[in-house]
Amino acid sequence: MLPVPDFLTIGHVSKDLRPDGTYTLGGTVTYAALTAQHLGLATGVITCADPNMCIELPSHLPGIALHIRPSSVTTTFINQYTEGVRIQYLCARADTFEARDVPEAWRNTPIVLLGPLAQELPTDFASLFPRRPDALIAASPQGWLRQWDADGRIWPTAWHDAPKVLSSLDVLILSYEDILSSNGNSREEADALFSEWSTMVPILVATEGRYGATLFHEGQTKQFPAYEAEEVDPTGAGDVFAAAFLIHLSKNGDPELAVEYANCVASFSVQQEGTKGIPSLSMINRAFRSQSRKE
């Protein structure tokens, strides 16, 4: 029987292509799993990738328990940033997940983060995990908010199945970027949608890069500024934030402190390329204590 991890994340790993044809390993599961591991948790990943990636992935994610279904391809993206705005192309997509891809023992993991990239998780996937007082079932839904054209250009799409998914979650974590482009860049419309969704899920957090994050909880809305950071590569910062938020919330039960903590952790991740910026626990503790003293 597979040991039950402390933290489980599910979704496609991705190849994020560089201009020279090489790639960095990406995907919510990659950034979230490494963050959880750095924070001291036994971590598991369920993913789908091509045979070569199945062989290589343990070296990319050492010490993390992997449950991989082979696919003909690995999900592959090209990410282009202009003044912090990402233009993204989907070059290849791995297979869609099925319920049988989740080991029975892992359905009792204390912290679960669903991290779809390209509509690969069925909307009823969250219901595979029983709601319990000592568990957090969460999603970062960017992959449910995407569609793509014949050229692979990613475009926003409405999340029609949101009510069905949210009824199975404890926490939803997403970015304003995921919503603004599908709402005419209207902050008011995005906030209205978040407020609506927050009535369907106990905790909703909307991240906004260098501008911090907004917590929607128990009918109240509160904004939290980001930590100062010199941005080099923002890819994955939202996924790092999500993992840090869930772990701190699980340990302390205070969503406001969890947002502050996650902002701190995410601030490190943007300062280096790819996963290199994910900080150690000691780095986080020093920065978080220092910020707390300033306040």
Side-chain angles (χ1 to χ4, degrees):
M1 180 181 293
L2 289 169
V4 178
D6 302 320
F7 182 99
L8 173 63
T9 182
I10 308 171
H12 285 165
V13 293
S14 69
K15 293 179 179 179
D16 292 342
L17 296 181
R18 300 186 181 101
D20 63 1
T22 60
Y23 72 89
T24 58
L25 187 69
T28 293
V29 296
T30 297
Y31 286 88
L34 287 170
T35 301
Q37 185 188 54
H38 286 203
L39 292 175
L41 276 68
T43 303
V45 167
I46 298 174
T47 195
C48 192
D50 69 64
N52 286 336
M53 181 60 77
C54 291
I55 295 170
E56 295 172 9
L57 201 55
S59 64
H60 290 292
L61 302 174
I64 292 173
L66 301 173
H67 190 76
I68 313 170
R69 175 149 63 89
S71 175
S72 60
V73 296
T74 296
T75 294
T76 303
F77 291 103
I78 294 173
N79 296 304
Q80 300 172 349
Y81 289 94
T82 303
E83 296 182 354
V85 177
R86 178 169 64 178
I87 298 175
Q88 194 170 40
Y89 291 85
L90 179 65
C91 304
R93 180 186 178 275
D95 294 339
T96 298
F97 288 91
E98 300 176 13
R100 60 188 176 89
D101 294 320
V102 183
E104 196 68 35
W106 284 14
R107 299 186 186 195
N108 293 311
T109 302
I111 306 174
V112 177
L113 175 62
L114 305 180
L117 296 182
Q119 301 285 354
E120 73 269 26
L121 291 180
T123 54
D124 61 354
F125 225 70
S127 65
L128 296 175
F129 303 90
R131 302 286 289 280
R132 311 189 312 272
D134 59 343
L136 285 175
I137 313 303
S140 178
Q142 60 180 333
W144 288 318
L145 294 161
R146 288 172 172 164
Q147 60 184 341
W148 47 94
D149 59 25
D151 295 323
R153 171 75 183 270
I154 297 288
W155 298 98
T157 188
W159 190 18
H160 297 296
D161 291 320
K164 181 178 179 180
V165 178
L166 295 175
S167 66
S168 298
L169 298 178
D170 300 299
V171 182
L172 182 72
I173 304 171
L174 73 169
S175 75
Y176 272 93
E177 178 187 357
D178 293 329
I179 299 299
L180 285 173
S181 54
S182 61
N183 285 276
N185 289 317
S186 169
R187 175 65 179 247
E188 291 76 16
E189 289 186 23
D191 282 333
L193 184 58
F194 292 150
S195 294
E196 177 186 344
W197 286 349
S198 72
T199 66
M200 306 176 198
V201 64
I203 296 172
L204 186 152
V205 185
T207 62
E208 202 173 3
R210 69 193 68 176
Y211 302 108
T214 303
L215 173 67
F216 297 78
H217 178 54
E218 296 182 340
Q220 301 296 316
T221 302
K222 185 173 181 179
Q223 292 182 293
F224 297 82
Y227 277 51
E228 292 185 6
E230 184 176 342
E231 186 176 294
V232 173
D233 180 9
T235 304
D239 307 319
V240 171
F241 178 102
F245 175 86
L246 293 171
I247 291 166
H248 199 277
L249 180 65
S250 177
K251 290 181 178 179
N252 298 283
D254 186 330
E256 293 191 9
L257 282 177
V259 174
E260 294 277 14
Y261 185 78
N263 273 339
C264 175
V265 179
S267 71
F268 286 96
S269 72
V270 303
Q271 298 184 56
Q272 296 188 60
E273 183 188 14
T275 60
K276 296 176 184 177
I278 299 174
S280 66
L281 182 58
S282 61
M283 292 167 64
I284 298 165
N285 287 342
R286 286 196 300 271
F288 192 54
R289 285 197 297 267
S290 174
Q291 184 70 13
S292 297
R293 282 195 297 270
K294 291 179 183 178
E295 295 173 353

